[in-house]
Amino acid sequence: MKNIITKLFGPLLPHLGELEGGSRIRRGLSLLALLPFLASAQTVTSPNGNVTVKFSLSDSGQPTYEMSYKGKTVCKPSHLGLELAKDKHASKFMQETDLMDGFKETDHKTTSFDETWRPVWGETATIRNNYNEMEVDLNQPSSNRNIIIRFRVYDYGMGLRYEFPQQNDLNYFVIKEEHTQFAMNGNHTAYWIPGDYDTQEYEYQITPLTGIKDIIRRDREKYKSNSSTTVFSDTGVQTSLQMKTKDGLYINIHEAACIDYPTMHLNLNEKTLTFESWLTPDAVGRKGFIQTPFNTPWRTVLVSDDACDMLSCKLTLNLNEPCKIKDTSWIHPTKYCGVWWNMIVGTKTWSYTNDYPSVRLGVTDYSKCKPNGTHGATTSEVKRYIDFAAKNGLQEVLVEGWNVGWEDWFGHQKLDVFDFVTPYPDFDIKYLNDYAHSKGVKLMMHHETSASAINYERHLEDAFNLMNKYGYDAVKTGYVGDIIPRGEYHYSQLMNNHYQRVVEEAAKHHIMVNAHEATRPTGICRTWPNLVGNESARGTEYEAFGGSVPYHTVMLPFTRLQGGPMDYTPGIFETKLSEWSDNKSFVHSTLCGQLSLYLVMYSPLQMAADLPEHYEKYDDAFQFIRDVACDWDDSKYIEAEPAKYITVARKAKGTDNWFVGGKTGEEAHTAVVKFDFLDKGRKYDCAIYQDAADADYEKNPKAYKISHRTVKKGDILKIKEARGGGFAISLIAK
Ligand code: NOJ
Ligand code: CA
């Protein structure tokens, strides 16, 4: 037996490779991983044996896989394949028959991989990437075309993708639909938002799989309130889709490394309880122009019997390519405040004047109009925020509404909306940047594109040069409204390429990117760590637009955050907006619930989103935002249940200090925190920020208490969280 293994796989036996950041990695083929291969040519098992994926070809030669976890079925036999465009949607030079069936297996390889890499920023200082891989080489004799299906099987899930090597008989093709199935083994509970080509800014619904249709039908009209929305099916949902089975398995479907490809949705066949991929089309319905060689994004399925594993698992990042930026020294986790919440609530405006119902860039003369008196981004107001940031250790100040065009920015499918370089007359760009720098603070740029990607690409180089000139190193971009090129969708291949181009161009200029309304992330921040944030979900702004359910932030870590951090913009202390504005909305969280989000919603970019004057009123609670880190050496999920509660402890980068946060949903919860993660023999100054006994997100959101004590390893704290509440703890090593 040993001889056969050496003969077959000798050339592949262990060799050393280079780890990102310069350390050594171990890469190679473990003999153990080969055993399943020798036993059955179609099966690969995860390193600890929990997850098994089996591949087979059906009688008609259709690729099929099934997946199990500790012997329980996760995906029943599910087909794989691609339907190609053979009509007017592909040019006459790109007419290809389908890649669905008629395949024969030509080769089959199983290998294993184990490396530990260092993210530029993250929840942990190092990430282990350990999987067993199965490559299945297929040929379709009728067309003589070859494809590869590659599976990577981890202890908490698997990824699979299609690969199209360069070959004589397959060079260009157009996708009509990808038919990757995920056949569920029961009518699981699903935590879902409707499939939509243009927005992810939805509240999560919790229903059995067969309950999806009724809700989408019921709410279709309501969905139209977003600025751009295209719901495509009564049974369509977005990824990442979280599910829970009746026997306690957590299953999550998403994708990794979505590059040069449309974003995937899932459509449910209610009869068979099978999800199938449903790609975002382009303006005329095509779903991807492909040139070989090409690899699709990974289709991922996470699975565990412990919900904490859904949150700590790094499978999405691991399936992305290593960092492509050589010098990453300019990329830094950032806490920031900004001229923002006032506009969202409606007490200030992005626009400078009310005189112009429409604006033409370069023609409209702002020196001739009357300022409206409500403009937010004035030199004096920005200066106030810079002072606030400097005083409280926040590194940057976001300023929205600094540039001309906001009087007429949205709703008219206008191509030339902004030029991204011309400030309003009352915003002194040079003075403010110099002033900020003198105080150790940077301004954060804002580029609202109004979804005119064409216009943004035309201005990008000038816009980034302006940022370099004045010393900005981060930009928040935005894509509100219907996409231009007209007819395109936010998540099409063309738009995904646009977002990617912006990130790569920004990297050349040493600029970090935080893209709002762009496609949901799929772990690309591993490869391009200057992508420090995305919105791509319903953020805090919706608390001013009518509110979000209190369990929303207890869902996002299970779903949206699978692909990368979210710029959720937490930290609203004056939760009842009518107390200081005409806005009737309120934030569906207690004040301590807001503090907990700095831990529960991991992001290297964290906003203190409320107004400085509100923080000054609750300065003792604001101390937590001043203290909390946003880059971590270690993270331990203590307890978690989708939509119910999440409690996590994190160790601040380069220190011995820990921070703990807990958030609850609609119901009160008592978190039990055992300090077994602390260093033995060490004492810690512990500050606890918790909901008061009578706190409640609706009736009494600002009731909190702060207490101090000394704790050591092994101590246990029981902390009561109110409805829609939470807690935050800092542990400073003595
Ligand atoms: C929507 C973004 O999510 C929000 O943060 C921003 O203020 C507005 N667009 C204007 O760009
Ligand atoms: Ca938004």
Side-chain angles (χ1 to χ4, degrees), residues 397-457:
V397 175
L398 166 74
V399 185
E400 297 201 1
W402 67 277
N403 56 325
V404 297
W406 284 91
E407 291 71 21
D408 174 24
W409 72 284
F410 161 62
H412 300 105
Q413 292 248 306
K414 185 176 163 185
L415 183 86
D416 301 304
V417 196
F418 295 111
D419 66 8
F420 312 99
V421 293
T422 311
Y424 276 129
D426 59 350
F427 178 84
D428 189 336
I429 189 168
K430 178 168 177 2
Y431 168 80
L432 284 169
N433 278 284
D434 288 348
Y435 182 72
H437 299 163
S438 77
K439 298 236 158 187
V441 170
K442 278 186 195 295
L443 294 190
M444 189 183 290
M445 179 48 84
H446 183 230
H447 291 164
E448 173 57 63
T449 69
S450 293
S452 181
I454 292 185
N455 183 50
Y456 193 35
E457 287 191 20

Side-chain angles (χ1 to χ4, degrees), residues 691-704:
D691 296 323
D694 56 350
D696 180 283
Y697 78 92
E698 283 176 303
K699 295 190 202 102
N700 199 11
K702 287 183 289 188
Y704 63 89

Side-chain angles (χ1 to χ4, degrees), residues 358-386:
S358 99
V359 169
R360 269 184 188 276
L361 285 188
V363 177
T364 301
D365 184 353
Y366 280 94
S367 69
K368 297 221 160 61
C369 65
K370 190 160 117 301
N372 57 17
T374 55
H375 183 218
T378 64
T379 298
S380 60
E381 180 72 342
V382 174
K383 206 167 164 241
R384 188 168 79 90
Y385 275 77
I386 294 170

Side-chain angles (χ1 to χ4, degrees), residues 147 338 395 497 522-523 546 691:
I147 67 168
Q395 289 88 37
N497 286 344
T522 55
D691 296 323

Side-chain angles (χ1 to χ4, degrees), residues 507-577:
K508 290 184 198 155
H509 288 264
H510 287 193
I511 288 169
M512 299 181 281
V513 177
N514 165 25
H516 279 226
E517 294 91 28
T519 205
R520 50 187 164 274
T522 55
I524 292 168
C525 58
R526 176 183 181 186
T527 316
W528 297 96
N530 64 318
L531 179 58
V532 288
N534 272 109
E535 183 190 44
S536 311
R538 191 180 174 97
T540 295
E541 59 183 4
Y542 276 81
E543 300 285 20
F545 307 158
S548 297
V549 287
Y551 64 77
H552 189 59
T553 48
V554 196
M555 272 321 305
L556 289 169
F558 284 97
T559 53
R560 162 63 185 76
L561 269 57
Q562 291 294 351
M566 174 172 179
D567 183 34
Y568 185 72
T569 70
I572 305 300
F573 281 8
E574 283 298 1
T575 57
K576 203 166 169 199
L577 306 181

